[in-house]
Amino acid sequence: MEVAVPLLCLAATVLVWGVLWVWGSWERVTRPEQAGLPGGGSRTLLVTAHPDDEAMFFAPTILGLTRLRHQVFLLCFSAGNYYNQGEIRKKELLQSCDVLGIPPSNIMIIENRDFPDDPDVRWDPERAADVLLQHVEANGITLVVTFDEGGVSGHSNHVALNAAVRTLHAEGKLPKGCLVLTLQSVNLLRKYLYLLDLPCSLLLARDALFVLTQREAAQAQRAMSCHHSQLLWFRRLYVLFSRYMRINSLNFL
Ligand SMILES: [Zn+2]
């Protein structure tokens, strides 16, 4: 009994500390001005490689930035024509964006032989950087969001977009004041923990963290379900278990 009381006290202290810590972190990330993100009215360009990337990986970011009243644009570098389904996939992308609140006038899909939907083709980062810069300048973009060097799934087309944006950043070619956020890739275990990854995300979040509410999570799932041609059994499992359907951690370059 003499041993149990101090142990219980210790356990209670750790528990209270843990709850307060998670609460403090939660308060921090849900504040609109979190982590130096640009404020309302910012023109934000999400740069993806394939139709469905926006729903599979970036839905928390899109809905989180919309909550912050950003004007979100999407630049998708391919029509996703790997299985000759490009036309279908372009329509699915428009439907998905409609669910996520991105109007058709803010969506740009590149169909260029330099950027085929193919994991075995390495896109030229300099060429991708040129195209990206044109869209940043033409649309007065102040925040660019794309994959990190891990590309979340490791797909070479995702990784190429990170290389492109890094090139622009390193060479100082982005317009003055234009920031870049990259989506943090996590290990396989964390990737499929869904909302259970939240404590880990709160602990490791550096610059920006977006966590969807239950209602927004249903919206993200509806967006993903627009991609009928992609909903094979393993992607249905992905929708159920992937943290990227609920949580996005991003870091500034
Ligand atoms: Zn992709």
Side-chain angles (χ1 to χ4, degrees):
M1 190 64 188
E2 295 88 59
V3 181
V5 172
L7 275 180
L8 279 173
C9 286
L10 181 65
T13 307
V14 170
L15 185 68
V16 169
W17 178 83
V19 168
L20 288 175
W21 171 75
V22 168
W23 178 253
S25 305
W26 177 255
E27 288 273 284
R28 182 171 57 83
V29 302
T30 49
R31 257 186 255 140
E33 68 275 20
Q34 62 160 309
L37 280 178
S42 292
R43 296 167 75 86
T44 296
L45 181 66
L46 171 63
V47 185
T48 59
H50 315 108
D52 77 1
D53 289 346
E54 81 296 338
M56 272 180 91
F57 306 122
F58 289 98
T61 300
I62 296 170
L63 296 174
L65 291 173
T66 305
R67 221 189 282 145
L68 298 177
R69 296 190 305 282
H70 282 217
Q71 196 180 340
V72 181
F73 295 76
L74 174 70
L75 175 62
C76 183
F77 261 76
S78 82
N81 206 32
Y82 189 67
Y83 292 109
N84 290 316
Q85 293 177 308
E87 289 309 310
I88 295 170
R89 297 195 66 189
K90 281 193 285 182
K91 286 187 191 130
E92 291 172 347
L93 177 61
L94 291 174
Q95 289 164 0
S96 163
C97 286
D98 185 47
V99 174
L100 293 170
I102 305 176
S105 55
N106 288 13
I107 302 167
M108 296 148 284
I109 305 170
I110 297 172
E111 291 181 82
N112 185 316
R113 264 187 244 155
D114 289 343
F115 311 116
D117 168 16
D118 190 337
D120 296 325
V121 176
R122 188 178 169 275
W123 295 354
D124 177 5
E126 294 284 344
R127 178 80 190 98
D130 286 345
V131 172
L132 173 54
L133 185 59
Q134 279 169 24
H135 283 82
V136 166
E137 290 176 341
N139 293 288
I141 297 302
T142 50
L143 176 66
V144 176
V145 180
T146 193
F147 295 99
D148 72 356
E149 58 280 352
V152 180
S153 61
H155 195 299
S156 73
N157 298 161
H158 300 175
V159 175
L161 294 179
N162 179 265
V165 83
R166 274 182 182 279
T167 300
L168 290 178
H169 188 257
E171 294 176 358
K173 287 184 175 168
L174 286 169
K176 197 170 181 295
C178 181
L179 300 169
V180 179
L181 271 177
T182 60
L183 179 64
Q184 194 182 27
S185 300
V186 297
N187 63 44
L188 204 61
L189 175 66
R190 286 187 60 198
K191 192 172 175 181
Y192 293 105
L193 282 180
Y194 194 57
L195 202 51
L196 293 178
D197 186 55
L198 186 57
C200 224
S201 295
L202 283 168
L203 180 65
L204 300 174
R206 209 177 71 200
D207 293 336
L209 178 66
F210 295 111
V211 184
L212 296 186
T213 62
Q214 197 64 34
R215 218 175 86 188
E216 289 168 331
Q219 198 177 344
Q221 293 200 353
R222 277 205 309 282
M224 192 56 208
S225 67
C226 293
H227 294 282
H228 296 287
S229 67
Q230 304 305 301
L231 286 177
L232 306 172
W233 67 268
F234 57 90
R235 286 216 183 80
R236 289 182 190 275
L237 285 179
Y238 175 94
V239 170
L240 290 178
F241 293 107
S242 171
R243 82 188 269 283
Y244 289 93
M245 294 299 298
R246 198 72 196 248
I247 303 170
N248 276 176
S249 317
L250 302 104
N251 296 321
F252 284 114
L253 274 192

